[in-house]
Amino acid sequence: MSEANPDRGEHELPLGRRTYLLRPSFAAITAIERKTERALPELIRMGNSGTMPLAIAGIVAAELVKAGAGDDDLTRRVSAAKMGEMIFERGIAPAVARLTLCLLDAATGGRDAQGEAKAVATQTDEDDATAE
């Protein structure tokens, strides 16, 4: 698996002998909300407070991993149950912290629907003149 590229909106989640790419795409976030029956802000609160159930962590991880899988068919078929098991084996707190960071990234904007970071607008001299 390749290294996460923050400019593409990717995060890393080391589980087992592998590091998975997590991508906060629109499709991943809507799938997570649908499967958990929880809104994104609630999922973030659960992650921050340490109250995210393992089954929900597995769903969150699976959907974010699928979004970051690219052309890897095996990774795109990862199950929430398997991800939950690997999270349990790694340690719930550090894994959920990484998932929460990725969810927070999605919630704060600056991403397109594919989860890629949008270019940040830079202020020009013309903008400065208009502001005066």
Side-chain angles (χ1 to χ4, degrees):
M1 177 80 28
S2 61
E3 223 175 277
N5 180 347
D7 292 334
R8 289 184 48 108
E10 297 168 341
H11 298 264
E12 293 182 348
L13 179 62
L15 295 175
R17 296 184 197 141
R18 185 171 182 182
T19 297
Y20 292 90
L21 292 181
L22 305 175
R23 198 137 198 241
S25 70
F26 176 78
I29 298 303
T30 56
I32 291 166
E33 288 183 329
R34 181 175 32 80
K35 291 178 180 184
T36 64
E37 298 182 347
R38 308 245 201 260
L40 182 56
E42 183 180 358
L43 293 164
I44 293 167
R45 280 192 298 276
M46 288 168 49
N48 281 333
S49 66
T51 60
M52 182 180 286
L54 190 53
I56 289 180
I59 292 168
V60 172
E63 294 305 322
L64 294 173
V65 165
K66 289 174 188 177
D71 295 333
D72 183 350
D73 286 334
L74 185 60
T75 302
R76 279 200 308 257
R77 292 189 309 244
V78 70
S79 74
K82 181 62 177 173
M83 294 305 291
E85 182 180 304
M86 290 192 299
I87 288 169
F88 179 80
E89 290 175 354
R90 179 184 194 284
I92 297 168
V96 169
R98 299 255 180 145
L99 295 173
T100 303
L101 181 62
C102 192
L103 293 173
L104 185 60
D105 192 23
T108 56
R111 304 282 168 205
D112 65 16
Q114 287 70 46
E116 291 199 29
K118 291 189 222 172
V120 177
T122 57
Q123 191 167 356
T124 65
D125 290 337
E126 187 175 297
D127 292 333
D128 289 338
T130 307
E132 292 177 0

